Amino acid sequence: MTWRARGPVRAVVLVLHGGAENGLAVVRPWGLAYLRMVPLARSTAGAGAPHGVEVRLLRNRVRGWNEPEMHPVSDARWALDRIRAERPEVPVYLVGHSMGGRVALRVADDPAVRAVLALAPWTPAGEPVEPVTGRTVLIAHGTRDHITDPAESFTYAQRAQAVAERVVRIEVMSEGHAMLFRPGVWTRLVRDFARDAAGVAPLTAWSAGPDQRLRLPV
């Protein structure tokens, strides 16, 4: 699903949905993990389209991560190849939720990618940080998330600081995994990310002090 920019395309935001650790079931357009990202993608487009931001929401072939195949990683790389072919020299910004957050962090090494916004990402112990080398990384995690562990995204963020251009991690207070208790927070975050991608207004999160950079509360 694609939302076109108004006028020349200055940036592309690729949105990646969640899934499961294992599963070969086909992802349908009415699947909950996919549907959860539709309003966020639409909101991103609303904020970015007037400033030249195109938004694409990828629907994976199958539901699971499926180690060692990592099907959603292959899907995301396919989407990135297509974007680079259709929009050469245009920077790409990634937004992913849950498993999609993990995918976004994995494929950040694509030469077109400039920044990643990982929402409640699945970042298990040992998740490699090398793909975000030289990239800007923003992580947002609900403090009451019982599906993906906020402590693991904190550890990931700590390690990523050694290689990324900059890393900021936001703690969304009293929020769970599905982003349903405080939807306005998540919506504002992705809209601001789109504006940042367009060069209209920098994210306020970037100005966080060193003592708050990995535990910035909202």
Side-chain angles (χ1 to χ4, degrees):
M1 189 179 299
T2 300
W3 289 263
R4 300 296 181 188
R6 298 177 197 167
V9 177
R10 299 175 57 186
V12 176
V13 174
L14 177 61
V15 181
L16 307 171
H17 65 81
E21 185 172 356
N22 297 292
L24 296 174
V26 174
V27 177
R28 303 296 184 183
W30 54 85
L32 291 179
Y34 176 77
L35 282 178
R36 184 175 291 125
M37 300 307 289
V38 171
L40 285 178
R42 186 178 292 119
S43 182
T44 303
H51 307 291
V53 177
E54 180 177 281
V55 178
R56 302 190 183 196
L57 172 58
L58 176 66
R59 177 159 56 93
N60 294 334
R61 292 170 297 165
V62 298
R63 183 168 179 262
W65 174 267
N66 304 318
E67 190 82 33
E69 287 83 3
M70 299 185 293
H71 291 113
V73 172
S74 297
D75 292 344
R77 292 204 183 279
W78 169 85
L80 287 166
D81 287 345
R82 183 171 176 179
I83 291 169
R84 279 189 283 103
E86 296 175 2
R87 306 291 187 197
E89 308 303 321
V90 172
V92 177
Y93 294 75
L94 303 176
V95 176
H97 173 246
S98 191
M99 182 185 75
R102 185 181 187 184
V103 174
L105 295 166
R106 280 289 182 108
V107 302
D109 56 0
D110 185 276
V113 172
R114 298 292 181 272
V116 177
L117 170 56
L119 309 171
W122 173 33
T123 49
E127 181 68 13
V129 297
E130 288 77 14
V132 300
T133 299
R135 305 299 190 259
T136 294
V137 178
L138 179 61
I139 295 172
H141 217 141
T143 58
R144 295 184 179 178
D145 193 330
H146 300 296
I147 304 299
T148 56
D149 190 348
E152 290 185 337
S153 74
F154 177 81
T155 300
Y156 176 91
Q158 280 185 312
R159 294 189 294 115
Q161 287 183 117
V163 297
E165 180 178 343
R166 58 183 170 183
V167 181
V168 175
R169 179 178 168 277
I170 294 172
E171 294 189 334
V172 184
M173 311 307 290
S174 303
E175 178 60 284
H177 187 69
M179 307 184 293
L180 297 176
F181 292 111
R182 301 182 63 195
V185 171
W186 305 97
T187 300
R188 285 193 299 273
L189 187 58
V190 297
R191 289 176 67 88
D192 290 348
F193 187 73
R195 293 191 184 100
D196 187 89
V200 174
L203 274 163
T204 57
W206 301 142
S207 62
D211 58 330
Q212 283 192 311
R213 204 159 288 160
L214 300 188
R215 293 192 183 277
L216 183 62
V218 296

